[in-house]
């Protein structure tokens, strides 16, 4: 937050803050540069942290804790949180010296004592002259940052936040007050706005503004959760009277943030449900029954439960909007197929959208195989299809003879706007859309496909297809409640019984020969293996070179007696497909691959996967990759190769240390569990929600107060409240919802069309 956006301020603009006592044009300008233009902005400039007795560490205890880093035996979550958390120590600098290192470089080392019996080093590599002036021995300072241990085992803070505590604040602090700390930008500092000055300003403004802070949450909600009202909460954020006071203010603001976002999701969901009617697709379905009877296995309990949930949706005229989550290999395809057969039996087409040509092809082949000689018309739409074949398929689709239509992006009818206008793909009564590996598609794409489905009906009132999206990337509940808040969620939390859990081991590079021997012995038993390399190179050419080099080395130096195939991202889709098919047909014993193999085809005979430089992969990716093995009845293995010295030890550079630490947590997690939901949970803690889902397409705002990792309860409550209100008052027209409606429109301007313009 320290580098706040430097926005252009129009010359003619006069910030209203300029007229607040003690501000004036120069300070107003500095505040404006940090986006603080109005009293309201100022009040929403929330303290970055607080100094109170509870956040203050004592160097001696800190030291003891850090000397004992057997953190991995505890929950990894604790470790991660400990590393993230900032600690404040309060005391004085007792010794300040400069130290030469490297080629004429200097550092400033200041010893800091807090009277606990141990002291810490505070180190500055940059701005040495500046800090030399700031760090005065006779004054009291608060030092905040992430502590480290140096090679002598001393607690060290490198470039922490340091702040002089003025005598007055020291009194406050001693009296047990909680003191807010704001992020001060450089322009503010230049304009002589210090921490104290900023606080005084907030204090002035808050008295004046408090009557203008309107409540935006419905009274029923405030009452139910016993929240302070908005103006009280905002005041408490700046000037809490106690830790409890602050906590309840934060909880309220957190709830508010989540509530308006859930309101958006509730209105979106309702928009679909109220506006459109869906084709009614009731059971029983003779074709689905026939398939069930012909299956060589019985459905798991979880599959049956999920099918019942889907049936309950589809037999109504409200469009289904359901997310089906299930780990790799949990059997989602058969669920989708049974659902599509129900749709077919009721005279409707189904679309099955896959992210890659290979997956589309695999679905097509699988489904044809499962259906055997049953009378179901299944077609495939792929890019680059020959014109004659394409026309035949289009005819099947347009005439309505095609019942199940499988494809990739080609299902959208074309990529350019013009293509869509002169739609060459004319569906005929689409009843159901299934989207596989949905995280590879955005919300907009889902909407677009649904729109094409709507247009495929000739009825007077629009008929919107039911939508089932499937994901093999398990999403922790906190995320699915927000990210997919407009979807109902079904989970297959059980693998078919015949599976043997994959044995996963972290192995080290010096021991690779042994691992190669193991792979050899597996191949001699008739199995096959994957050897996966990370994409280390930025450029495509280099990636190709790296993969090719790896292949040659393995072929000549390690496995001269076997045939090795290559699969990498620079191949065209049909080349990839050829490589995988050749592997499936046992033309190769080993497939050397980059991560593209994570959405490969099923090769049940492959029982070993060796992942090189495994520390470079993300958890979700490791989990997806591992899902390539363990698909047959044989015991399967996943070997995660990493550097020999990849053990935990405190290193100088914090970033490096964190990266290393989280790499180890990733590898350990893989060893410990095959449960995709547990893995997703750890992943979320390590990376945060934005990275896990890809912030750009996720559509989840950056929350100030809410934390999608830890606020499960608050999310649940906000969701319940928002959905409840929309159910009882779909357009927020009741007088008690007026303020809520106004605030919603302020936050989500572009979503106005959720309301009737009445
Ligand atoms: P995913 O959920 O990863 O898409 P698939 O649908 O591809 O999984 O299923 C993986 C394999 O498991 C397929 O070969 C499928 O036929 C098989 N399968 C599905 N359900 C069961 C079951 N209940 N018992 C045994 N095998 C099953
Ligand atoms: Mg699948």
């Amino acid at each position: 937050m320290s580098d706040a956006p430097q926005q252009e301020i129009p010359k003619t603009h006069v910030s209203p803050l300029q007229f607040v006592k003690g501000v004036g044009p120069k300070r107003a300008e500095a505040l404006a540069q940090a986006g603080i233009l109005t009293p309201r902005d100022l009040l929403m400039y929330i303290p970055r942290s607080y100094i109170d007795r509870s956040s203050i560490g004592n160097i001696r205890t800190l030291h003891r804790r850090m000397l004992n880093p057997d953190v991995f035996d505890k929950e990894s979550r604790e470790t991660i949180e400990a590393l993230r958390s900032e600690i404040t120590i309060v005391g004085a600098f007792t010794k300040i010296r400069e130290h030469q290192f490297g080629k004429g470089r200097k550092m400033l080392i200041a010893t800091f004592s807090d009277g606990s019996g141990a002291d810490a080093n505070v180190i500055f590599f940059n701005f040495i002259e500046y800090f030399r002036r700031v760090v005065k021995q006779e004054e009291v300072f608060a030092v905040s940052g992430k502590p480290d241990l140096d090679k002598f085992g001393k607690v060290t803070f490198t470039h922490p936040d340091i702040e002089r505590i003025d005598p007055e604040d020291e009194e406050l602090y001693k009296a047990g007050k909680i003191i807010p700390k704001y992020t001060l930008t450089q322009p503010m500092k230049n304009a002589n706005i210090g921490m104290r000055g900023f606080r005084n300003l907030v204090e002035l403004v808050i008295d004046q503004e408090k009557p203008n802070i309107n409540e935006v949450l419905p009274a029923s909600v405030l009452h139910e959760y016993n929240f302070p009202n908005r103006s009280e909460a905002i005041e408490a954020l700046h000037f809490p009277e106690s830790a409890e006071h602050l906590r309840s203010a934060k909880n309220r603001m957190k709830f508010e943030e989540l509530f308006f976002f859930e309101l958006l999701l509730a209105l979106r969901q309702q928009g679909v449900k109220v506006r459109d009617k869906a084709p009614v697709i009731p059971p029983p379905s003779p074709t689905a029954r026939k398939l069930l009877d012909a299956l060589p296995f019985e459905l798991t309990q979880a599959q049956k439960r999920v099918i019942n949930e889907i049936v309950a949706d589809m037999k109504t005229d409200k469009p289904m909007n359901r997310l089906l989550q299930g780990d790799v290999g949990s059997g989602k395809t058969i669920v989708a197929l049974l659902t599509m057969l129900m749709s077919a039996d009721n005279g409707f087409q189904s679309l099955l959208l896959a992210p890659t040509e290979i997956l589309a092809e695999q679905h097509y082949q699988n489904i044809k195989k499962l259906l055997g000689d049953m009378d179901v018309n299944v077609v495939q739409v792929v890019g680059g299809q020959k014109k004659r074949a394409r026309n035949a398929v289009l005819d099947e689709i347009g005439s309505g003879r095609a019942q199940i239509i499988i494809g990739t992006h080609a299902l959208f009818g074309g990529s350019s706007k013009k293509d869509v206008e002169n739609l060459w793909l004319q569906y005929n009564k689409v009843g159901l859309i299934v989207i596989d590996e949905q995280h590879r598609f955005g919300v907009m794409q889902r909407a677009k496909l649904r729109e094409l489905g709507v247009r495929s009906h000739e009825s007077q009132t629009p008929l919107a297809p039911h939508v089932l999206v499937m994901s093999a990337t398990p999403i922790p509940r906190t995320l699915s409640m927000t990210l997919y808040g407009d979807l109902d969620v079904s989970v297959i939390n059980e693998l078919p019984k015949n599976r043997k859990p994959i044995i996963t081991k972290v192995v080290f590079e010096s021991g690779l020969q042994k691992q190669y021997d193991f792979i050899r012995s597996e191949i001699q038993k008739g199995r096959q293996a994957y050897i996966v390399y990370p994409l280390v190179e930025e450029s495509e050419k280099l990636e190709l070179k790296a993969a090719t080099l790896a292949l040659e080395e393995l072929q000549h130096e390690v496995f001269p007696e076997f045939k090795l195939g290559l699969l990498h991202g620079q191949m065209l889709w049909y080349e990839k497909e050829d490589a995988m098919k050749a592997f499936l047909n046992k033309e190769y014993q080993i497939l050397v691959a980059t991560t593209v193999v994570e959405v490969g085809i099923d090769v049940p005979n492959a029982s070993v996967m060796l992942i090189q430089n495994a520390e470079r992969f993300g958890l979700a990716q490791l989990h997806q990759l591992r899902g390539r093995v363990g698909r047959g009845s044989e015991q399967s293995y996943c070997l995660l190769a990493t550097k020999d010295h990849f053990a935990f030890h405190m290193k100088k550079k914090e970033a490096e240390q964190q990266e290393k630490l989280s790499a180890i947590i990733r590898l350990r997690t893989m060893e410990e569990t095959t449960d995709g939901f547990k893995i997703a949970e750890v992943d979320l803690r390590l990376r945060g929600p934005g990275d896990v889902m890809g912030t750009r397409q996720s559509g989840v705002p950056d929350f100030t107060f809410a934390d999608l990792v830890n606020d499960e309860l608050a999310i649940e409550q906000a969701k319940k409240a928002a959905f409840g209100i929309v159910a009882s008052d779909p357009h927020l027209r009741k007088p008690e919802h007026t303020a809520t409606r106004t605030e919603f429109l302020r936050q989500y301007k572009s979503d106005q069309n959720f309301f009737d313009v009445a």
Side-chain angles (χ1 to χ4, degrees), residues 498-505 518-519 522 525 527-530 603-610 625-639 670 674:
N498 56 0
R499 302 286 157 76
K500 290 201 183 77
I502 302 165
I503 295 174
T504 303
K505 265 179 74 177
F518 175 71
I519 292 175
E522 282 291 294
K525 287 190 225 158
R527 318 272 144 71
Q528 287 165 280
Y530 295 99
V603 182
N605 191 50
S607 66
V608 196
M609 171 174 283
L610 169 66
L625 284 169
R626 180 168 60 182
R628 296 283 101 218
V629 293
R631 300 197 149 229
S633 48
E634 301 302 337
Q635 176 62 57
S636 289
Y637 303 88
C638 176
L639 307 170
M670 287 294 292
T674 51

Side-chain angles (χ1 to χ4, degrees), residues 285-295 341 373-375:
S285 161
T287 319
R289 171 50 46 201
K290 203 166 155 199
L291 172 64
L292 275 175
D293 291 341
L295 282 180
L341 293 178
D373 57 4
M374 290 167 65
D375 186 20

Side-chain angles (χ1 to χ4, degrees), residues 303-363:
Q303 284 171 317
K304 289 181 191 165
R305 171 172 41 76
V306 161
I307 289 170
N308 283 334
E309 289 165 356
I310 294 171
V311 169
D313 281 356
M314 297 215 305
K315 69 182 181 193
T316 73
D317 66 356
K318 289 202 185 345
M320 169 169 77
N321 213 6
R322 188 168 282 281
L323 169 66
L324 173 56
Q325 286 196 59
D327 225 329
V328 195
S330 61
K332 296 184 289 296
T333 313
I334 187 80
V335 171
L337 178 56
L338 289 165
T339 312
M340 294 192 288
L341 293 178
M342 277 176 52
S343 166
D345 277 349
N346 283 280
F348 295 103
Q349 280 183 336
S350 298
L351 309 182
L352 172 55
L353 174 69
T356 63
E357 303 280 354
I358 297 170
L359 268 178
E361 168 76 16
Q362 187 180 11
H363 277 314

Side-chain angles (χ1 to χ4, degrees), residues 217 221 224-227 251-252 254-256 258-260 262-263 477 481-482 711-725:
L217 288 177
V221 168
E224 178 169 0
Y225 296 108
N226 200 11
F227 286 138
N251 281 347
R252 186 232 130 91
K254 182 186 286 180
F255 185 95
E256 183 185 313
L258 292 165
F259 173 81
F260 281 99
E262 293 292 342
L263 204 55
R477 252 175 67 77
M481 275 191 296
T482 38
D711 290 336
E712 180 165 345
L713 183 64
I715 295 170
E716 214 164 297
Q717 291 171 340
K719 183 178 168 89
K720 188 174 139 248
F723 278 70
I725 283 164

